[in-house]
mmCIF file of all heavy atoms in Angstrom:
data_model
loop_
_atom_site.group_PDB
_atom_site.id
_atom_site.type_symbol
_atom_site.label_atom_id
_atom_site.label_comp_id
_atom_site.label_asym_id
_atom_site.label_seq_id
_atom_site.Cartn_x
_atom_site.Cartn_y
_atom_site.Cartn_z
ATOM 1 N N ASP E 120 0.810 41.476 -1.586
ATOM 2 C CA ASP E 120 1.588 42.315 -2.521
ATOM 3 C C ASP E 120 1.168 42.005 -3.970
ATOM 4 O O ASP E 120 0.910 40.866 -4.346
ATOM 5 C CB ASP E 120 3.061 41.959 -2.350
ATOM 6 C CG ASP E 120 3.879 42.777 -3.367
ATOM 7 O OD1 ASP E 120 4.027 43.985 -3.184
ATOM 8 O OD2 ASP E 120 4.298 42.149 -4.371
ATOM 9 N N GLY E 121 1.083 43.093 -4.735
ATOM 10 C CA GLY E 121 0.683 42.918 -6.142
ATOM 11 C C GLY E 121 -0.809 43.017 -6.321
ATOM 12 O O GLY E 121 -1.400 42.508 -7.254
ATOM 13 N N ASN E 213 10.297 47.021 -15.217
ATOM 14 C CA ASN E 213 9.236 47.698 -15.949
ATOM 15 C C ASN E 213 9.879 48.625 -16.968
ATOM 16 O O ASN E 213 10.169 49.795 -16.684
ATOM 17 C CB ASN E 213 8.331 48.511 -14.997
ATOM 18 C CG ASN E 213 7.184 49.109 -15.771
ATOM 19 O OD1 ASN E 213 7.194 49.219 -16.984
ATOM 20 N ND2 ASN E 213 6.127 49.499 -15.026
ATOM 21 N N TYR E 246 8.350 40.018 -16.772
ATOM 22 C CA TYR E 246 7.922 40.933 -15.759
ATOM 23 C C TYR E 246 6.397 40.771 -15.500
ATOM 24 O O TYR E 246 5.585 41.048 -16.368
ATOM 25 C CB TYR E 246 8.191 42.391 -16.143
ATOM 26 C CG TYR E 246 8.086 43.408 -15.037
ATOM 27 C CD1 TYR E 246 8.972 43.447 -13.992
ATOM 28 C CD2 TYR E 246 7.021 44.352 -15.002
ATOM 29 C CE1 TYR E 246 8.898 44.345 -12.962
ATOM 30 C CE2 TYR E 246 6.895 45.251 -13.999
ATOM 31 C CZ TYR E 246 7.841 45.257 -12.981
ATOM 32 O OH TYR E 246 7.727 46.194 -11.947
ATOM 33 N N GLY E 248 4.898 42.027 -12.699
ATOM 34 C CA GLY E 248 4.338 43.193 -11.933
ATOM 35 C C GLY E 248 3.875 42.782 -10.564
ATOM 36 O O GLY E 248 3.085 43.490 -9.952
ATOM 37 N N SER E 249 4.361 41.655 -10.133
ATOM 38 C CA SER E 249 4.021 41.134 -8.770
ATOM 39 C C SER E 249 5.368 40.654 -8.183
ATOM 40 O O SER E 249 5.896 39.625 -8.616
ATOM 41 C CB SER E 249 3.038 40.000 -8.835
ATOM 42 O OG SER E 249 2.803 39.413 -7.563
ATOM 43 N N LEU E 250 5.905 41.423 -7.219
ATOM 44 C CA LEU E 250 7.265 41.182 -6.757
ATOM 45 C C LEU E 250 7.511 39.713 -6.374
ATOM 46 O O LEU E 250 8.523 39.090 -6.770
ATOM 47 C CB LEU E 250 7.589 42.098 -5.558
ATOM 48 C CG LEU E 250 8.903 41.834 -4.813
ATOM 49 C CD1 LEU E 250 10.121 41.974 -5.720
ATOM 50 C CD2 LEU E 250 9.042 42.756 -3.600
ATOM 51 N N PHE E 264 15.859 40.902 -10.672
ATOM 52 C CA PHE E 264 14.694 41.815 -10.568
ATOM 53 C C PHE E 264 15.222 43.218 -10.280
ATOM 54 O O PHE E 264 16.090 43.345 -9.352
ATOM 55 C CB PHE E 264 13.757 41.370 -9.478
ATOM 56 C CG PHE E 264 12.628 42.332 -9.240
ATOM 57 C CD1 PHE E 264 11.422 42.188 -9.916
ATOM 58 C CD2 PHE E 264 12.756 43.422 -8.335
ATOM 59 C CE1 PHE E 264 10.363 43.093 -9.700
ATOM 60 C CE2 PHE E 264 11.720 44.299 -8.151
ATOM 61 C CZ PHE E 264 10.546 44.145 -8.817
ATOM 62 N N TYR E 266 14.135 47.340 -9.517
ATOM 63 C CA TYR E 266 13.192 48.431 -9.392
ATOM 64 C C TYR E 266 13.999 49.698 -9.130
ATOM 65 O O TYR E 266 14.234 50.048 -7.943
ATOM 66 C CB TYR E 266 12.091 48.244 -8.357
ATOM 67 C CG TYR E 266 10.863 49.038 -8.786
ATOM 68 C CD1 TYR E 266 9.742 48.416 -9.405
ATOM 69 C CD2 TYR E 266 10.831 50.434 -8.680
ATOM 70 C CE1 TYR E 266 8.685 49.165 -9.846
ATOM 71 C CE2 TYR E 266 9.770 51.188 -9.164
ATOM 72 C CZ TYR E 266 8.718 50.545 -9.789
ATOM 73 O OH TYR E 266 7.659 51.276 -10.234
ATOM 74 N N LYS E 276 10.139 52.454 -5.696
ATOM 75 C CA LYS E 276 8.763 52.192 -5.284
ATOM 76 C C LYS E 276 8.698 51.267 -4.124
ATOM 77 O O LYS E 276 7.809 51.364 -3.254
ATOM 78 C CB LYS E 276 7.949 51.650 -6.483
ATOM 79 C CG LYS E 276 6.520 51.226 -6.084
ATOM 80 C CD LYS E 276 5.790 50.633 -7.260
ATOM 81 C CE LYS E 276 4.363 50.306 -6.902
ATOM 82 N NZ LYS E 276 3.635 49.684 -8.049
ATOM 83 N N LEU E 277 9.574 50.284 -4.045
ATOM 84 C CA LEU E 277 9.433 49.182 -3.109
ATOM 85 C C LEU E 277 9.875 49.579 -1.700
ATOM 86 O O LEU E 277 10.794 50.415 -1.536
ATOM 87 C CB LEU E 277 10.163 47.961 -3.606
ATOM 88 C CG LEU E 277 9.674 47.454 -4.943
ATOM 89 C CD1 LEU E 277 10.495 46.253 -5.420
ATOM 90 C CD2 LEU E 277 8.182 47.137 -4.943
HETATM 91 P P1 P6P U 1 5.182 48.787 -11.411
HETATM 92 C C1 P6P U 1 2.910 45.692 -6.875
HETATM 93 O O1 P6P U 1 2.119 46.846 -6.804
HETATM 94 C C2 P6P U 1 4.355 46.081 -6.542
HETATM 95 O O2 P6P U 1 4.409 46.693 -5.256
HETATM 96 C C3 P6P U 1 5.263 44.881 -6.627
HETATM 97 O O3 P6P U 1 4.662 43.695 -6.326
HETATM 98 C C4 P6P U 1 5.708 44.930 -8.069
HETATM 99 O O4 P6P U 1 6.969 44.377 -8.310
HETATM 100 C C5 P6P U 1 5.726 46.450 -8.373
HETATM 101 O O5 P6P U 1 4.819 47.049 -7.473
HETATM 102 C C6 P6P U 1 5.285 46.730 -9.797
HETATM 103 O O6 P6P U 1 5.409 48.130 -9.956
HETATM 104 O O7 P6P U 1 5.490 50.262 -11.177
HETATM 105 O O8 P6P U 1 6.126 48.143 -12.374
HETATM 106 O O9 P6P U 1 3.732 48.535 -11.756
#
Side-chain angles (χ1 to χ4, degrees):
D120 177 73
N213 185 341
Y246 193 70
S249 175
L250 171 60
F264 174 92
Y266 208 101
K276 173 181 184 182
L277 301 178

